Amino acid sequence: MVMLALPTHASNRLHWLRHAFQHVRTGLVILFCALATGCAHQGPVSQPAKPHVHKAPQKHGSAFKRFGYRYGPGYYHHVRHYHGYRPWRPTTGEASQEAPPDKSTTGAEVVVNKSAIKGLVPVYFATNRMVTGGPGLELSQISYARSATNTFGYVTVSIPVVHKMGEVETPKTSWFGLRKEAEDDRKHFRIQKLYRLSREEFASAIANPADSMMLFVHGYNVGFSDAAFKAAQIAFDANYKGRVMMYSWPSKGGLLDYDYDRESALYAPDGLFDLLQLIKKEAKVSRIIVIAHSLGSEVLLGALQQAALSQTTLGITELIFAAPDVDRDLYLERANQIKSAAGAVTLYASSTDLALLASMKKAQSTSRMGFVSKSGPTLVPGIETIDVSAVGSEMFALNHSTYSTSRAVLDDIGRIISSSTHLKPPQRTPTLRSMPDDSTATYWMYPY
């Protein structure tokens, strides 16, 4: 009896230790994120950003002739490295073309090493970040300080040949920030071109009622270049054929700068509202898809409120909230404004999003719209909510980009933004499970 009891006691003790370790680990991650969001550096100064301009060698043999190389707004190369002879494919817009040749760019005309990349994605942008200097534009001129007006233009993002679906490959930095990996077209997302356009040139460049436009609004801790990379990655991985655009509000782009970013998010709705009006009224784009991530959802809610108060029709076709870092009570209060602004609204939420959990702790909030509690996600009639907890990866990135790193979620987003008509979640993604059941479904979830 004693001999049997000893192993059982040891097993129970081991089981207890394992659970204790898991609780300690979770607590440390939440504490780290809470400290990170509570120690913001103050004061806007220009961020020292090195221009991502690739000055490649000029000789490339016959590679460009063999592959029929082409790039520019409205064109992107969606060719895996093992499909080397697949041709470049234009988007659906007939107006897709290069920017005016007399516009200033960052450096000389760029020649990209075709064998080093999978493709190029042109990304139009509007930003209310402070831009210094003259009429030309370089990345070092775009700061995280706040501006009262928008700057317009477009960038061309190259996708490295080693790219894996759902990832944004950027140079790695050592733990203490002492050493950074050199930029390489083969290994990293790069900005190859950067154009500045006037408001009129911008509206003319995107004007095409027959085309669709995907507008990405980034979240907390995202610099200008990273926002362009993420917009390009979503479009590329989702095989989106329309035009790609981002609105880059003045995030400081640092893990410890949540307070500054939150203030910027409260400042930024004016610029986004101005951009949405331009897309609809001046550019006359007929199909508008808006994807807002994390704290970018706060910016979007502010813009939608302005539209509601001014009785302005924005004509958004699809509205997607990805892990929205928005207080539940505020979101519910604005629900009617959200639904009236778009033809269809989709919200992705997760129970494994530790970044949102830390945000709740800091704001002393009961919940965030992007967080799934033990009782389930917060539901709004007329807004299609999808619980993506099962497909979130257990990673130190705090699971805050599940929507753009999971192949399953990317596939679902790809079907939303590429379809000419809106399909219900189980119609476009049959693997989704209706909750609580098929006959009385109030939300959907990916099965465990």
Side-chain angles (χ1 to χ4, degrees):
M1 291 290 288
V2 174
M3 293 179 65
L4 288 173
L6 285 174
T8 303
H9 178 71
S11 174
N12 289 339
R13 187 175 181 185
L14 223 101
H15 185 70
W16 179 86
L17 285 173
R18 187 182 300 112
H19 277 284
F21 176 77
Q22 289 175 348
H23 284 301
V24 170
R25 176 179 172 276
T26 302
L28 286 174
V29 173
I30 294 173
L31 177 62
F32 172 80
C33 195
L35 288 173
T37 59
C39 303
H41 299 299
Q42 300 299 323
V45 294
S46 298
Q47 55 184 357
K50 183 180 178 182
H52 291 269
V53 180
H54 175 58
K55 297 181 180 179
Q58 298 299 310
K59 291 183 68 177
H60 297 286
S62 60
F64 289 97
K65 294 180 181 179
R66 184 171 74 251
F67 289 97
Y69 174 66
R70 185 178 189 181
Y71 64 89
Y75 289 87
Y76 68 94
H77 186 193
H78 190 202
V79 180
R80 307 299 180 192
H81 61 282
Y82 46 79
H83 288 160
Y85 290 93
R86 187 173 175 181
W88 293 80
R89 185 169 60 226
T91 67
T92 57
E94 294 299 325
S96 300
Q97 57 184 355
E98 275 286 8
D102 59 334
K103 293 290 109 182
S104 299
T105 65
T106 52
E109 187 74 10
V110 178
V111 178
V112 183
N113 182 356
K114 168 64 181 61
S115 62
I117 65 171
K118 281 188 178 180
L120 291 162
V121 182
V123 180
Y124 292 94
F125 71 82
T127 180
N128 68 333
R129 294 172 180 268
M130 184 69 72
V131 178
T132 60
L137 189 61
E138 296 187 359
L139 287 174
S140 58
Q141 296 174 242
I142 305 174
S143 73
Y144 56 77
R146 301 161 188 148
S147 172
T149 58
N150 281 331
T151 297
F152 302 96
Y154 82 84
V155 298
T156 304
V157 178
S158 61
I159 312 294
V161 71
V162 299
H163 172 63
K164 295 180 180 179
M165 187 174 187
E167 296 185 16
V168 174
E169 291 85 359
T170 54
K172 294 180 175 61
T173 305
S174 64
W175 273 93
F176 299 101
L178 301 176
R179 179 172 49 83
K180 185 177 181 180
E181 184 182 9
E183 293 178 338
D184 186 340
D185 280 358
R186 288 182 175 274
K187 298 166 63 178
H188 309 129
F189 276 63
R190 299 284 305 280
I191 288 182
Q192 302 291 354
K193 279 191 172 185
L194 175 60
Y195 280 92
R196 184 174 188 166
L197 302 174
S198 69
R199 184 185 184 93
E200 294 73 24
E201 291 167 338
F202 182 81
S204 176
I206 66 172
N208 185 3
D211 205 357
S212 67
M213 173 73 70
M214 184 196 85
L215 171 61
F216 174 64
V217 185
H218 64 79
Y220 145 71
N221 185 21
V222 178
F224 179 87
S225 296
D226 292 330
F229 295 158
K230 181 57 71 174
Q233 178 251 317
I234 295 171
F236 186 84
D237 287 349
N239 199 18
Y240 175 64
K241 305 297 193 304
R243 294 165 187 256
V244 184
M245 182 185 292
M246 70 167 179
Y247 177 69
S248 183
W249 53 276
S251 165
K252 201 171 184 180
L255 183 63
L256 304 180
D257 300 313
Y258 184 85
D259 286 344
Y260 182 87
D261 281 14
R262 189 161 187 81
E263 294 296 317
S264 290
L266 296 174
Y267 176 83
D270 287 358
L272 179 56
F273 178 51
D274 175 64
L275 174 62
L276 289 169
Q277 289 183 94
L278 184 154
I279 294 172
K280 183 60 180 177
K281 294 181 178 179
E282 298 176 46
K284 295 180 171 58
V285 177
S286 60
R287 180 168 169 76
I288 305 168
I289 301 131
V290 181
I291 302 176
H293 175 228
S294 176
L295 202 54
S297 300
E298 186 94 55
V299 180
L300 180 58
L301 254 62
L304 296 183
Q305 183 184 38
Q306 291 191 31
L309 293 175
S310 62
Q311 298 183 335
T312 302
T313 301
L314 298 176
I316 299 173
T317 311
E318 295 278 355
L319 185 52
I320 300 171
F321 289 97
D325 186 2
V326 177
D327 181 78
R328 180 185 63 190
D329 296 335
L330 176 63
Y331 193 95
L332 294 177
E333 184 182 84
R334 305 276 179 85
N336 288 333
Q337 296 175 355
I338 295 168
K339 290 185 289 185
S340 64
V345 185
T346 304
L347 188 149
Y348 295 97
S350 174
S351 63
T352 62
D353 198 321
L354 298 180
L356 285 179
L357 184 59
S359 174
M360 286 189 292
K361 296 291 185 184
K362 180 170 179 56
Q364 299 182 11
S365 171
T366 56
S367 183
R368 280 294 193 260
M369 281 303 296
F371 189 76
V372 178
S373 64
K374 291 180 180 179
S375 59
T378 301
L379 303 178
V380 179
I383 295 179
E384 296 173 354
T385 301
I386 302 176
D387 182 350
V388 300
S389 303
V391 296
S393 56
E394 186 66 22
M395 50 195 292
F396 196 63
L398 301 178
N399 305 328
H400 202 48
S401 293
T402 296
Y403 77 100
S404 62
T405 56
S406 164
R407 182 183 295 269
V409 180
L410 268 171
D411 285 344
D412 191 59
I413 290 178
R415 295 183 186 106
I416 293 175
I417 65 180
S418 299
S419 177
S420 58
T421 58
H422 180 77
L423 298 175
K424 288 286 186 180
Q427 293 175 307
R428 64 177 184 256
T429 306
T431 55
L432 288 173
R433 181 175 296 167
S434 299
M435 299 296 293
D437 53 58
D438 291 338
S439 59
T440 58
T442 55
Y443 71 99
W444 295 265
M445 66 180 294
Y446 283 92
Y448 284 90

